[in-house]
Amino acid sequence: MTRSEENYLKSIFHLAEDNTSVSTNALAKKMKIKASSSTEMIKKLSEKGHVYYKKYKGVKLTKKGRLAATSIVRKHRLWEVFLVDKLGFSWDEVHEVAEQLEHIKSSKLTDELDSFLNYPKADPHGDPIPDSNGNIIDSKRQVLANVSIHANCICIGVNDSSKFFLKYLDKFKIKLGTKITVLNREFYDSSMTVLINNKKTSISKEVSNNLYVEII
Amino acid sequence: MTRSEENYLKSIFHLAEDNTSVSTNALAKKMKIKASSSTEMIKKLSEKGHVYYKKYKGVKLTKKGRLAATSIVRKHRLWEVFLVDKLGFSWDEVHEVAEQLEHIKSSKLTDELDSFLNYPKADPHGDPIPDSNGNIIDSKRQVLANVSIHANCICIGVNDSSKFFLKYLDKFKIKLGTKITVLNREFYDSSMTVLINNKKTSISKEVSNNLYVEII
DNA sequence: ATAAATTTTTAGTCTAGTCTAAATATTAAT
DNA sequence: ATTAATATTTAGACTAGACTAAAAATTTAT
């Protein structure tokens, strides 16, 4: 499998983890290529049995395609853990490098890395790491925006892994494990007042929609 | 720089670490491609300032090209150390994977890895690891074949890193650091009798030519 | 010093993966 | 139920990096 094919499968997976159908256009947009290019590749992936494809009807991963995709995601997230835990990268620096490392082909490497890292269940952004069979145990996490008033919760992940968001969180001392208490929610702009590190803080809906928490 | 360009520079470097000129044909043979292909790429590398090239006169790395080449070699050897020291690979299993890892682009990654591994000076086969400026400190190692009778020496590297040779060494319990005493040399076939782990062993010239040692 | 052998280069072809522009389907709006 | 807007596919072109076959230069051998 080529690097390009791997990237297509990964993108299809991310656009539809629930395995619904993905449109040519959505895929092209995600990958920053033209729709004609994604059509071409979809045809090829279909011939190789990685996706189901009906003209004009979008594309869905087959079992084989999904396993290939989760294998890439598994590697990506394991490498992110390695970079942060072992090499001292910060959580906003790992993505680019992991995009390269995820394509290294060696199941021994992946499995030994997993063991070396003590079988982590999530990457530095809280995203779950698939096992080698492609199974993903995703906890019942929810976005902070949906949490009801007065609830106590713990930050367990982010929905947006961009540098910009992660650096914002660093500035406000929010990281995985940080306790958050919801005090209030404004009707007007959906902003929230929360208690973080014993300080009252106002949080916009952009932020609360991108923070995963677990109620405690 | 593309992966292919990186591989050309690496091959040129390995064919002439002393920076003598490398022929189109030698390069093609080393890379298992046709001579016409290497001519093409040589032209491109020349335009980009990575090599000096005169038609029919072979090719030589420029300063820039040599730095690029040693950077790849540095990464290759650091990753080999990682695989053996941290992930439990054996020295005959690391090459293929390192061939992939050497192309990962991130100087932060390389330097942090170097630090994480405690600034190793050689890879698992005893080959020196260039520093980030491309400098290589190669000890005055010599092949066992050239050592004089009665000398005591220590195995510090191999000249042939193929699985076959490395597994042969494993079988005879020869590894880096193993003490070898030369007892005798046969005129007929250039084989040697040596003392390894307090056992007399006969060693063919194929083997003694591929073992690097240091006299003690 | 010429002929023969070898090496290197050139010219033209192929595949993967992208693109643009045009044609065709599908979906949404009146 | 047509038309308009949008999405998708097709057709044809481009680049990187490989190839084969043939031409040209260099080296080796007589």
Side-chain angles (χ1 to χ4, degrees):
Chain A
M1 186 141 45
T2 69
R3 177 168 296 232
S4 185
E5 288 171 342
E6 288 185 345
N7 282 331
Y8 274 91
L9 293 179
K10 184 181 59 157
S11 294
I12 295 168
F13 174 79
H14 283 314
L15 287 170
E17 298 205 13
D18 55 346
N19 212 18
T20 52
S21 163
V22 169
S23 76
T24 302
N25 235 4
L27 186 53
K29 201 163 289 172
K30 171 120 187 155
M31 301 189 70
K32 292 170 184 173
I33 54 171
K34 299 299 168 185
S36 54
S37 307
S38 66
T39 299
E40 293 270 298
M41 183 57 98
I42 282 168
K43 279 187 200 164
K44 208 214 282 190
L45 291 172
S46 164
E47 268 165 30
K48 293 195 176 179
H50 287 109
V51 298
Y52 301 113
Y53 171 55
K54 269 277 171 114
K55 270 193 196 176
Y56 296 100
K57 295 302 173 192
V59 75
K60 237 187 256 227
L61 293 175
T62 61
K63 198 147 204 175
K64 185 173 158 193
R66 192 178 166 89
L67 186 60
T70 51
S71 160
I72 306 295
V73 172
R74 172 173 160 78
K75 288 188 280 180
H76 182 103
R77 293 181 180 168
L78 283 173
W79 281 115
E80 286 194 346
V81 174
F82 171 74
L83 294 171
V84 169
D85 285 9
K86 303 295 181 180
L87 300 193
F89 279 59
S90 57
W91 67 348
D92 56 79
E93 291 176 320
V94 295
H95 189 71
E96 278 182 327
V97 185
E99 288 280 293
Q100 300 177 62
L101 287 162
E102 71 189 4
H103 296 288
I104 304 294
K105 285 171 183 52
S106 162
S107 47
K108 169 154 182 151
L109 172 59
T110 309
D111 294 341
E112 293 294 342
L113 183 63
D114 194 17
S115 152
F116 181 59
L117 299 171
N118 263 124
Y119 308 102
K121 280 188 283 303
D123 75 12
H125 316 107
D127 294 313
I129 297 175
D131 70 20
S132 53
N133 301 311
N135 299 312
I136 304 177
I137 306 136
D138 203 350
S139 61
K140 50 270 148 241
R141 64 183 182 179
Q142 53 186 308
V143 293
L144 179 60
N146 294 336
V147 170
S148 50
I149 295 180
H150 303 312
N152 281 310
C153 50
I154 289 185
C155 173
I156 58 165
V158 296
N159 188 26
D160 171 8
S161 296
S162 70
K163 277 192 176 55
F164 312 103
F165 185 53
L166 297 174
K167 286 189 161 152
Y168 170 93
L169 295 180
D170 286 342
K171 200 150 93 187
F172 286 87
K173 306 256 187 290
I174 300 171
K175 49 189 172 189
L176 302 198
T178 298
K179 194 179 154 188
I180 301 176
T181 306
V182 179
L183 300 177
N184 209 344
R185 175 184 276 111
E186 292 297 331
F187 174 75
Y188 174 62
D189 62 357
S190 299
S191 69
M192 295 172 114
T193 310
V194 297
L195 206 62
I196 296 175
N197 303 314
N198 291 316
K199 271 180 69 174
K200 257 195 196 178
T201 312
S202 175
I203 271 188
S204 71
K205 71 168 182 297
E206 282 79 9
V207 171
S208 64
N209 266 317
N210 280 315
L211 261 189
Y212 285 125
V213 297
E214 196 173 55
I215 310 288
I216 50 173
Chain B
M1 187 141 46
T2 67
R3 176 168 295 233
S4 185
E5 287 171 344
E6 289 185 344
N7 282 330
Y8 274 92
L9 293 178
K10 183 181 59 158
S11 294
I12 295 168
F13 175 80
H14 283 314
L15 286 170
E17 297 203 14
D18 54 347
N19 212 17
T20 52
S21 162
V22 170
S23 75
T24 302
N25 235 4
L27 186 53
K29 201 163 290 174
K30 170 118 186 155
M31 301 189 70
K32 293 172 183 169
I33 53 169
K34 299 299 168 185
S36 53
S37 307
S38 66
T39 300
E40 292 271 300
M41 182 57 98
I42 282 167
K43 279 186 200 164
K44 206 213 286 190
L45 290 172
S46 164
E47 269 165 29
K48 293 194 177 179
H50 287 110
V51 298
Y52 302 113
Y53 171 56
K54 270 274 168 118
K55 269 191 197 180
Y56 295 100
K57 295 302 172 192
V59 76
K60 237 187 255 227
L61 293 175
T62 61
K63 198 148 205 175
K64 186 174 157 194
R66 192 179 166 88
L67 186 60
T70 51
S71 160
I72 305 295
V73 171
R74 170 172 160 77
K75 289 188 279 180
H76 183 104
R77 292 179 180 167
L78 283 173
W79 281 115
E80 286 194 346
V81 174
F82 171 74
L83 294 172
V84 168
D85 285 9
K86 303 295 183 182
L87 300 195
F89 279 60
S90 57
W91 67 349
D92 56 78
E93 292 175 321
V94 295
H95 189 71
E96 279 182 327
V97 185
E99 289 279 294
Q100 301 177 62
L101 287 162
E102 70 190 5
H103 297 290
I104 304 293
K105 287 172 181 55
S106 163
S107 48
K108 168 153 184 155
L109 173 60
T110 309
D111 294 342
E112 293 294 342
L113 183 64
D114 194 17
S115 152
F116 181 61
L117 299 171
N118 264 122
Y119 308 103
K121 281 188 281 304
D123 76 11
H125 316 106
D127 294 314
I129 297 176
D131 69 20
S132 53
N133 301 312
N135 299 312
I136 304 177
I137 306 134
D138 204 350
S139 60
K140 49 269 148 237
R141 63 185 182 175
Q142 55 186 309
V143 293
L144 179 61
N146 294 338
V147 170
S148 52
I149 294 181
H150 303 311
N152 281 310
C153 50
I154 288 186
C155 174
I156 58 164
V158 295
N159 188 25
D160 171 8
S161 297
S162 70
K163 277 192 177 55
F164 313 105
F165 184 54
L166 297 174
K167 286 191 163 153
Y168 171 93
L169 295 180
D170 286 341
K171 199 149 94 186
F172 286 87
K173 305 253 186 294
I174 300 171
K175 49 189 173 190
L176 302 197
T178 298
K179 192 179 155 190
I180 302 175
T181 306
V182 179
L183 300 178
N184 208 346
R185 177 185 275 110
E186 291 297 329
F187 175 76
Y188 174 63
D189 62 356
S190 300
S191 69
M192 296 173 113
T193 310
V194 298
L195 206 62
I196 296 175
N197 304 315
N198 290 316
K199 271 181 70 176
K200 258 195 195 174
T201 312
S202 174
I203 270 188
S204 70
K205 71 167 183 298
E206 282 80 9
V207 171
S208 64
N209 267 317
N210 280 315
L211 261 188
Y212 285 126
V213 298
E214 197 173 54
I215 310 287
I216 50 173

